[in-house]
Amino acid sequence: MFGYLGLAVTSLLSSALFLPFPLPVLVFTMGANMNPLLVALIAGLFSTIGSSVKYLLGLGGKELLEKRYEKEISRVRAAFEKYNFFWWIFAVSLTPFPDDPVSIFCGMVKYDFKKYFTALLLGRLILYVIVSFSGYYSISIIVNIIKITT
């Protein structure tokens, strides 16, 4: 009903708020009925922007924990750089599962925002391209099966 704008708003809000909304189902359905590449790009970009709100929430929580656990946070931050945490964020964003703990944690240890955003965006774009094109191609297969059986 609302098309691409509705998808953008839904992607943003479902990722920014702690709402259990099945965004991949929406992307699958909209990919079947609209331009699947554009659907994937919009869902990927706006869900990444929404998840950045949780990063900022974690960044605010860092102030509360930093005084008490300053040494531990600096060790975790060093481990993030040493073990290339970028690829871990990327791998988590490739799944349809919520990334709330990862986003909040990255903010809490003050992981580089550009790296965080890039890893999350790349993973989400790949995920939603796969989901959107799956919807696009599977709907025509389902319609053909229905035509054959009736």
Side-chain angles (χ1 to χ4, degrees):
M1 180 175 170
F2 294 103
Y4 297 116
L5 180 60
L7 176 63
V9 171
T10 304
S11 298
L12 182 72
L13 291 178
S14 69
S15 295
L17 306 174
F18 294 94
L19 297 175
F21 184 80
L23 188 59
V25 174
L26 180 64
V27 171
F28 182 88
T29 306
M30 291 185 81
N33 298 309
M34 302 168 83
N35 181 339
L37 184 58
L38 195 53
V39 167
L41 291 173
I42 290 170
L45 178 63
F46 282 93
S47 65
T48 302
I49 293 170
S51 288
S52 297
V53 170
K54 295 173 188 158
Y55 175 92
L56 296 174
L57 179 68
L59 195 60
K62 175 189 78 77
E63 301 299 326
L64 298 172
L65 295 175
E66 194 168 56
K67 294 177 186 172
R68 186 171 191 168
Y69 300 106
E70 185 175 353
K71 291 178 186 177
E72 289 83 358
I73 289 176
S74 63
R75 272 192 268 148
V76 170
R77 192 177 302 132
F80 274 31
E81 295 302 325
K82 180 180 179 183
Y83 296 111
N84 213 351
F85 201 67
F86 178 91
W87 295 110
W88 190 75
I89 298 168
F90 173 75
V92 168
S93 67
L94 280 173
T95 67
F97 303 114
D99 64 350
D100 305 344
V102 174
S103 298
I104 293 170
F105 191 70
C106 286
M108 288 178 75
V109 297
K110 206 174 179 181
Y111 184 70
D112 183 28
F113 182 76
K114 290 178 187 176
K115 290 180 183 178
Y116 162 79
F117 191 86
T118 303
L120 198 65
L121 180 62
L122 289 174
R124 292 272 174 89
L125 287 175
I126 292 170
L127 169 67
Y128 290 132
V129 162
I130 292 169
V131 171
S132 182
F133 276 94
S134 295
Y136 180 77
Y137 287 111
S138 66
I139 292 298
S140 61
I141 292 170
I142 292 169
V143 168
N144 288 336
I145 290 172
I146 292 172
K147 284 180 183 178
I148 292 171
T149 59
T150 56

